[in-house]
Amino acid sequence: MICYLDRGEVPDLEDISPQVLRYLVRKAEAAAGRYRRLQDYYLGRHPSLQGKHSPDEVRVAVNYAKYVVDTALGYYLGEEVKYDPNARANEGGGAVDIGPVERAYHVQHIAEIDQELGRGMGIWGECLELCYASADWDPLPRSAKIDPANGILVCDTTVEHNKLFALLWDRRETTAGERYYSIMLLTDRTVKTFRSATVEMTAFRQEGETQFHWFGAVPVIAYENNGDRQGDFEQVISLIDAYDDLMSSRLTDKRKFVDALLVFFGMTLREGDESRLAKEKFLDGAPLDARAEYIQKTFDEESVQVLADALVRDIHKMTMTVDMSDQQFAGNSSGQALKLKLLTMNLLVKNKMRRMERGLKERLALYNHYLTVKGEMQRLDVDDVDVVFTLNTPINEEEIVTMVTSLQGIVDDQTLLGQLWFIRDPAEALRNIRAQRKLKQEELA
């Protein structure tokens, strides 16, 4: 979570009072209930499955929360994020080398961490990333996703909301059964660990020595899903609950419909007839004027389906996600018609990408500072590097190849190569093309 403090509350960031730590942990504990509720919905632990219910009552949960989050996530993070030097970098006259950062990304499979961050944004509305140094003999910068329930990024109250420090906290238990609070405090220079038995009375006691890091800023990054920090499905929880209740009632009525009462008119069953009828499905010796009928509950399946479809449409409409199971979604629609149907989805993920790009550039700056201090790369301006997202949409391969071919000589080669779906690094592909052309010229000479 993100908290805001007046700078006067923490005059010395390297000597923060226990009162401030207690205040922040209490705030985090108060907000934990919301995070747990959203996590439960994503994992399918819906209220419709909770509580007591009769044996003949069917309770189900249709996990639209997970569907909404994962659909949007796969749409804009299904392909790895790319980092390309832009035209502004080329104007400087020197090549921008982000190779060391990309190697650090590759070693830890940064695309998986991006996926976890995007999923956290979709569930909780916000997520935190911790940058740290690996424990290898030659340490490299690495990243880890931090749940907002256990991470607090503290910013000042100015309009710029500059970062002051960050807390990573957790409630732990020793093998002896002793419960305690563990807090890691990170500033722009140091990392400290504190411990306390309770939040109310005991002061936080520092454990171990103060450690220094090489990131040059507070190594915790906040990712916001939107301006209100709401999850993708948070505004439609009531619709999800209504759909769960409707499906549960529908299945319960189906079960009761099957378990209808058999009523006999004009006759009385003898002893043993009930078990014989249940086993043999046949009863002999009934009077000629007797009859048997089932008493069944009237069940209007059509009206229930109309209501269910309306709830589903509202869920997709309010979450701005596309219903991929809709039979009318594709059909014989043209490419332009499909783009219009995906318009709301594009609006949703464009906002997500803008906000995530800010965090990814902040990560790039932290990694660059760390590797610069180690002497493995030069200092760079993150504005010289473009963060490129690739929307995971069906493509017309022939149309793209035709477009790229027709634009040769009008658009630069690297940009054109970036349009080809099978090229992951346009800059590397361009270097390979130039090397290949040079080799052919030498062979002809």
Side-chain angles (χ1 to χ4, degrees), residues 290-350:
R291 73 180 193 275
E293 295 181 0
Y294 280 104
I295 298 179
Q296 298 175 334
K297 180 179 179 181
T298 303
F299 192 74
D300 189 357
E301 179 71 22
E302 184 176 346
S303 62
V304 173
Q305 186 61 45
V306 170
L307 179 57
D309 292 342
L311 287 173
V312 170
R313 284 195 302 270
D314 286 343
I315 290 173
H316 286 290
K317 182 189 300 181
M318 301 311 297
T319 58
M320 302 177 71
T321 54
V322 175
D323 185 2
M324 298 297 180
S325 63
D326 185 1
Q327 295 180 357
Q328 298 179 352
F329 175 70
N332 296 322
S333 301
S334 64
Q336 189 63 29
L338 288 176
K339 288 181 181 179
L340 290 175
K341 290 181 178 181
L342 288 170
L343 177 62
T344 56
M345 192 85 159
N346 285 328
L347 294 175
L348 173 68
V349 299
K350 290 290 185 182

Side-chain angles (χ1 to χ4, degrees), residues 211-401:
Q211 299 179 353
F212 293 86
H213 62 77
W214 298 347
F215 290 101
V218 179
V220 173
I221 305 167
Y223 295 85
E224 299 179 10
N225 195 47
N226 47 56
D228 300 316
R229 296 183 204 152
Q230 284 191 321
D232 289 343
F233 59 87
E234 192 166 356
Q235 291 194 7
V236 297
I237 285 180
S238 59
L239 292 176
I240 295 174
D241 289 341
Y243 192 84
D244 288 344
D245 291 340
L246 179 63
M247 291 298 103
S248 298
S249 299
R250 189 177 188 179
L251 291 172
T252 299
D253 289 343
K254 279 287 189 181
R255 172 177 287 183
K256 292 179 179 179
F257 180 81
V258 173
D259 295 336
L261 293 175
L262 179 62
V263 181
F264 292 91
F265 297 91
M267 65 174 293
T268 302
L269 295 179
R270 300 183 300 271
E271 184 177 354
D273 283 350
E274 294 181 12
S275 58
R276 190 178 307 109
L277 181 62
K279 181 179 180 180
E280 300 177 2
K281 309 299 181 184
F282 177 78
L283 187 62
D284 191 16
L288 294 177
D289 58 346
R291 73 180 193 275
E293 295 181 0
Y294 280 104
I295 298 179
Q296 298 175 334
K297 180 179 179 181
T298 303
F299 192 74
D300 189 357
E301 179 71 22
E302 184 176 346
S303 62
V304 173
Q305 186 61 45
V306 170
L307 179 57
D309 292 342
L311 287 173
V312 170
R313 284 195 302 270
D314 286 343
I315 290 173
H316 286 290
K317 182 189 300 181
M318 301 311 297
T319 58
M320 302 177 71
T321 54
V322 175
D323 185 2
M324 298 297 180
S325 63
D326 185 1
Q327 295 180 357
Q328 298 179 352
F329 175 70
N332 296 322
S333 301
S334 64
Q336 189 63 29
L338 288 176
K339 288 181 181 179
L340 290 175
K341 290 181 178 181
L342 288 170
L343 177 62
T344 56
M345 192 85 159
N346 285 328
L347 294 175
L348 173 68
V349 299
K350 290 290 185 182
N351 181 56
K352 285 174 170 283
M353 289 189 296
R354 278 193 298 268
R355 292 182 175 275
M356 193 169 191
E357 179 184 2
R358 188 183 309 161
L360 295 180
K361 283 197 171 185
E362 192 174 339
R363 177 207 286 167
L364 181 63
L366 292 173
Y367 275 46
N368 172 241
H369 189 279
Y370 185 98
L371 295 170
T372 300
V373 172
K374 284 190 66 178
E376 296 186 6
M377 69 180 301
Q378 298 294 323
R379 193 72 175 268
L380 61 84
D381 187 344
V382 293
D383 291 332
D384 292 343
V385 180
D386 287 334
V387 179
V388 182
F389 294 87
T390 304
L391 294 182
N392 199 9
T393 55
I395 60 174
N396 187 332
E397 299 176 359
E398 182 179 355
E399 180 180 339
I400 293 176
V401 172

Side-chain angles (χ1 to χ4, degrees), residues 393-425:
T393 55
I395 60 174
N396 187 332
E397 299 176 359
E398 182 179 355
E399 180 180 339
I400 293 176
V401 172
T402 302
M403 177 196 68
V404 170
T405 304
S406 63
L407 289 177
Q408 286 185 348
I410 302 175
V411 181
D412 64 277
D413 291 342
Q414 183 168 329
T415 301
L416 291 178
L417 290 171
Q419 305 304 310
L420 297 175
W421 66 95
F422 54 85
I423 293 182
R424 305 183 67 177
D425 188 347

Side-chain angles (χ1 to χ4, degrees), residues 16-28:
I16 299 176
S17 69
Q19 178 183 351
V20 173
L21 299 181
R22 285 196 294 270
Y23 167 79
L24 293 171
V25 172
R26 287 197 192 102
K27 250 183 117 54

Side-chain angles (χ1 to χ4, degrees), residues 149-191:
N150 296 104
I152 309 170
L153 179 61
V154 183
C155 303
D156 63 24
T157 53
T158 65
V159 293
E160 294 185 352
H161 297 312
N162 300 304
K163 291 194 292 186
L164 299 178
F165 59 94
L167 292 182
L168 306 182
W169 72 281
D170 194 13
R171 292 203 67 180
R172 299 178 181 176
E173 185 175 0
T174 64
T175 54
E178 176 190 355
R179 297 180 66 85
Y180 65 95
Y181 286 86
S182 177
I183 292 182
M184 179 184 293
L185 172 64
L186 303 104
T187 69
D188 59 350
R189 296 172 50 243
T190 62
V191 179

